[in-house]
Amino acid sequence: MISAPASGTGKTMLMLGLLTALRRQGLTVQPFKSGPDYIDPGFHLAASGRASFNLDAWAMEPGRLIAHATGQPPADLVLAEGSMGLFDGVATAGETGIGSSAEIAQMMGWPVVLILDVGGQAQSAAATARGFATLRPDLPFAGVVLNRVASPRHDRLIREGMDQAGIRVLGSLPRQGNITLPERHLGLIQAEETAGLQAILDHAGEFIAAHCDLEAIIAAAAHRALPEAPAPRPLTPPGGRIALARDAAFSFVYPHVLEAWRRAGATILPFSPLADEGPDDGADCCWLPGGYPELHAPRLAACNGFRTAMHRFAATRPVHGECGGYMALGAGLVDADGLRHPMLGLLGLETSYAKRRMHLGYRRAEPLTALPGLGRVALRGHEFHYATVLSQPDAPLARVTDATGAEVPETGSRRDQVTGTFFHLIAPASA
């Protein structure tokens, strides 16, 4: 488990560098992502050549976590990238826990490699490392990688402290060599949008290989016998042939959801709204994932072929949108400059980015009407966007609560066979 004391400390850079460096050595590495992030797995795929899957202790029951961890093709090594700080999560436990990376590492027996930003300190960094290594005695801990090391003298001082604290140093990354990836308001720019991504990955791989003890990191890998757990509730596909919007405006969908649909026998039929394409006429349902429709609103508004095809499709078959896809199904979207762009008009939803307000957190939804493939089973998901709702005149789709059980006003919408939610589906709830 690649983790850190806090966000912004270098987890993703270390993760991508390790994936690239180990792949160059001929190792097959299976990546995972702890938590509800849907951008990092795309970078993991680019670096490792293998699909990366989310492991979420709040939204997934033990059986689903175990199935995801053990159900992938054989690999030489597993690397999981944590989220936030190692022990960070929500206040109230969900399916398995509070959603922390530590819970995943502890359950699977995956030793933690902690990356520490040591800028502005020396021997004191050992106190932080020792605290993380000993807070939970049964959490396996491999050692630390030092980040933003200023000089050889700085490195020696930090290592002295780590030696006294009994903490193994697995790497030391000089400050001048740090690697950055472009960011946007939801986090990183998507992998497929990142210009020169292969050059960035090559640099990261060379940097990590030069400054980390790869053999020691590989040797530290371990696991434990997993507990017995009931099989997870099936993540039933919404149809046998699913038309899936897939382009720069619609790309946020969890890999494990698509995998579950395929394993259940569904066929995924991608199409590009930005190319003015509509859903395949042979599909029996249509799914618009999240993404960045606000960045492409003028272009989407001009895609009359897409609009006509969606109205024709929705007249006879179910259509569902998540977050950005939900906004695209609405009547209009106001961009950051205050300009309104007409959307599909299949729902009455009006949203605006002129006054941004962050909506972030886990969601539990109890549908008020049957959803294709899922019926009225309670669902767990995650919401993250900056849109403000100006109007939502349609019937609510579900009763939605946050991780503490408090109701949230973003209930989703339904009109005839068209539905939408601001949260991204992770899994059916077991309770």
Side-chain angles (χ1 to χ4, degrees), residues 58 363-367 371 374 377-381 423 425 427-429:
W58 187 87
R363 300 290 183 258
R364 186 179 187 277
E366 299 173 2
L371 296 173
L374 295 167
V377 170
L379 307 172
R380 290 187 185 266
F423 69 85
L425 170 66

Side-chain angles (χ1 to χ4, degrees), residues 251-283:
S251 57
F252 294 165
V253 60
Y254 290 114
H256 74 269
V257 172
L258 298 184
E259 182 192 56
W261 290 351
R262 290 190 178 104
R263 287 189 174 184
T267 300
I268 309 296
L269 304 168
F271 69 100
S272 171
L274 288 177
D276 206 16
E277 297 173 355
D280 192 298
D281 284 336

Side-chain angles (χ1 to χ4, degrees), residues 140-197:
F141 193 87
V144 298
V145 171
L146 312 177
N147 194 17
R148 296 184 67 230
V149 177
S151 67
R153 178 178 176 275
H154 188 204
D155 181 70
R156 286 195 302 273
L157 292 173
I158 297 169
R159 287 177 184 268
E160 287 176 7
M162 294 295 174
D163 286 343
Q164 293 174 10
I167 302 296
R168 187 174 188 183
V169 176
L170 298 168
S172 181
L173 310 179
R175 183 170 58 195
Q176 295 84 353
N178 284 5
I179 297 151
T180 59
L181 290 164
E183 295 189 1
R184 187 179 279 150
H185 57 262
L186 294 187
L188 295 176
I189 298 289
Q190 298 170 85
E192 56 264 38
E193 292 181 282
T194 303
L197 177 58

Side-chain angles (χ1 to χ4, degrees), residues 387-410:
T388 298
V389 176
L390 302 178
S391 176
Q392 196 279 88
D394 298 307
L397 179 64
R399 175 181 178 268
V400 182
T401 54
D402 64 15
T404 69
E407 288 200 40
V408 297
E410 291 79 24

Side-chain angles (χ1 to χ4, degrees), residues 213-265:
D213 188 340
L214 298 185
E215 290 186 5
I217 291 173
I218 294 169
H223 66 92
R224 63 165 54 109
L226 297 175
E228 291 188 10
R233 185 190 294 269
L235 214 173
T236 314
R241 294 172 59 82
I242 305 166
L244 179 73
R246 191 73 173 173
D247 56 26
F250 304 98
S251 57
F252 294 165
V253 60
Y254 290 114
H256 74 269
V257 172
L258 298 184
E259 182 192 56
W261 290 351
R262 290 190 178 104
R263 287 189 174 184

Side-chain angles (χ1 to χ4, degrees), residues 21-377:
L22 295 174
R23 187 182 184 186
R24 283 182 175 178
Q25 290 190 356
L27 295 178
T28 301
V29 184
Q30 174 60 53
F32 290 99
K33 173 66 183 182
S34 175
D37 186 285
Y38 32 72
I39 295 180
D40 283 345
F43 286 91
H44 297 175
L45 170 62
S48 69
R50 289 171 67 108
S52 177
F53 297 92
N54 299 78
L55 300 171
D56 193 307
W58 187 87
M60 296 177 179
E61 68 272 45
R64 192 176 305 277
L65 293 170
I66 292 169
H68 284 188
T70 62
Q72 309 312 320
D76 298 309
L77 182 70
V78 162
L79 284 182
E81 180 180 353
S83 60
M84 303 181 293
L86 176 61
F87 299 107
D88 294 335
V90 294
T92 305
E95 295 284 346
T96 302
I98 63 171
S100 73
S101 303
E103 291 167 330
I104 300 297
Q106 190 168 350
M107 178 180 186
M108 303 298 175
W110 296 344
V112 173
V113 174
L114 195 77
I115 183 165
L116 283 176
D117 183 340
V118 296
Q121 59 182 321
Q123 290 95 330
S124 295
T128 300
R130 184 169 176 80
F132 275 85
T134 60
L135 182 64
R136 294 187 185 173
D138 56 346
L139 176 67
F141 193 87
V144 298
V145 171
L146 312 177
N147 194 17
R148 296 184 67 230
V149 177
S151 67
R153 178 178 176 275
H154 188 204
D155 181 70
R156 286 195 302 273
L157 292 173
I158 297 169
R159 287 177 184 268
E160 287 176 7
M162 294 295 174
D163 286 343
Q164 293 174 10
I167 302 296
R168 187 174 188 183
V169 176
L170 298 168
S172 181
L173 310 179
R175 183 170 58 195
Q176 295 84 353
N178 284 5
I179 297 151
T180 59
L181 290 164
E183 295 189 1
R184 187 179 279 150
H185 57 262
L186 294 187
L188 295 176
I189 298 289
Q190 298 170 85
E192 56 264 38
E193 292 181 282
T194 303
L197 177 58
Q198 190 55 55
I200 294 172
L201 294 176
D202 289 343
H203 182 197
E206 292 165 3
F207 181 60
I208 295 302
H211 298 288
C212 289
D213 188 340
L214 298 185
E215 290 186 5
I217 291 173
I218 294 169
H223 66 92
R224 63 165 54 109
L226 297 175
E228 291 188 10
R233 185 190 294 269
L235 214 173
T236 314
R241 294 172 59 82
I242 305 166
L244 179 73
R246 191 73 173 173
D247 56 26
F250 304 98
S251 57
F252 294 165
V253 60
Y254 290 114
H256 74 269
V257 172
L258 298 184
E259 182 192 56
W261 290 351
R262 290 190 178 104
R263 287 189 174 184
T267 300
I268 309 296
L269 304 168
F271 69 100
S272 171
L274 288 177
D276 206 16
E277 297 173 355
D280 192 298
D281 284 336
D284 47 30
C285 69
C286 179
W287 192 277
L288 300 186
Y292 293 115
E294 71 275 16
L295 300 181
H296 306 275
R299 188 172 165 189
L300 285 171
C303 288
N304 293 321
F306 167 55
R307 181 191 311 276
T308 300
M310 286 297 298
H311 276 262
R312 183 173 61 246
F313 192 98
T316 58
R317 288 158 287 184
V319 174
H320 182 75
E322 289 187 329
C323 201
Y326 177 32
M327 290 183 254
L329 289 172
L333 187 154
V334 178
D335 64 22
D337 296 323
L339 298 175
R340 182 186 182 276
H341 305 276
M343 293 288 103
L344 290 171
L346 290 169
L347 293 171
L349 180 72
E350 293 271 356
T351 51
S352 173
Y353 284 84
K355 294 182 179 180
R356 299 196 338 154
R357 176 171 171 260
M358 186 172 73
H359 299 77
L360 171 66
Y362 286 117
R363 300 290 183 258
R364 186 179 187 277
E366 299 173 2
L368 301 174
T369 188
L371 296 173
L374 295 167
R376 292 188 61 178
V377 170

